[in-house]
Amino acid sequence: MSPKKPCVFFSIVVIGMTLASCAEPAPSPLDYTVRRATGVASSPLLESAEIVLTQLGYPIAKRDPAAGWLLSEPVEGEVGATSSGHRGGLSSRPSGRRVVDVRIQDGDGLSKVFCRVTIQEQTSRAHQMFSSAYARDDVPNDTAIDRDAATTKEQNTVWEPVGRDKSAERIIVQAILDRAGVPASAGGD
């Protein structure tokens, strides 16, 4: 055995592990609100999820029926009966939006409905404020592109995830189960 073979084998193993770690992990109860539905296949649950999201004001942006996955378009402000955040007139928080991610897992007569509602907030003002604050000198040598002169406000807007709306997640999951006709005793946590 030549001395190069163990190095080649080790390199292949390291590259394989690196590529395997890039795959998206399976949904977890730590990241999603999860409910079980016994005796219901994933297809009716996915159809119910699409109808429920549309009725609640979340248009579908992406869908993958083979993987049992739906993603809504970002929706700004209050949405249907699912908004639980305080929206007072004296709030110092910038405007926010929500994105809904629904996944259905099917297995041996037991389907699981996963839902995550991510709250995102605008951070473009802070991004613009600090972009030139850390410059090395005070000579204005930025180009028009660097000063955002050739872009629109929408292009400069940055949305950052700031948390989850767990109340909305529970409402959406329950509405999906109700729409699919899952009895209350068949859907459990």
Side-chain angles (χ1 to χ4, degrees):
M1 183 175 198
S2 73
K4 290 186 179 183
K5 285 189 180 182
C7 292
V8 171
F9 176 73
F10 181 72
S11 298
I12 291 172
V13 169
V14 168
I15 290 171
M17 289 175 59
T18 303
L19 293 176
S21 67
C22 293
E24 186 174 336
S28 158
L30 297 174
D31 301 324
Y32 291 82
T33 295
V34 184
R35 292 283 306 271
R36 294 185 299 255
T38 55
V40 181
S42 61
S43 300
L45 286 170
L46 193 62
E47 291 172 13
S48 297
E50 189 166 353
I51 292 167
V52 165
L53 289 181
T54 304
Q55 287 176 345
L56 291 175
Y58 294 100
I60 306 300
K62 296 179 184 177
R63 68 177 55 87
D64 185 356
W69 175 68
L70 293 173
L71 184 70
S72 77
E73 292 181 8
V75 177
E76 293 187 42
E78 300 287 330
V79 181
T82 64
S83 56
S84 63
H86 173 69
R87 302 291 292 182
L90 300 176
S91 175
S92 63
R93 303 189 81 162
S95 64
R97 67 182 189 179
R98 289 171 169 72
V99 178
V100 181
D101 178 3
V102 175
R103 296 169 190 252
I104 311 292
Q105 283 186 347
D106 198 12
D108 298 336
L110 176 71
S111 295
K112 291 183 181 179
V113 179
F114 294 82
C115 180
R116 177 176 60 205
V117 178
T118 304
I119 301 170
Q120 300 174 336
E121 289 186 351
Q122 263 185 349
T123 59
S124 60
R125 289 288 140 213
H127 174 71
Q128 290 173 352
M129 183 174 72
F130 291 116
S131 63
S132 61
Y134 297 108
R136 296 177 202 254
D137 57 16
D138 60 354
V139 178
N141 54 10
D142 292 342
T143 64
I145 296 276
D146 293 333
R147 292 187 307 267
D148 300 328
T151 57
T152 65
K153 180 182 176 189
E154 290 80 22
Q155 291 171 324
N156 295 328
T157 300
V158 177
W159 291 93
E160 184 175 321
V162 293
R164 290 173 45 198
D165 188 344
K166 293 181 183 181
S167 176
E169 292 172 3
R170 288 188 294 273
I171 291 169
I172 291 170
V173 169
Q174 189 58 50
I176 292 169
L177 294 175
D178 291 345
R179 176 90 185 170
V182 176
S185 61
D189 291 329

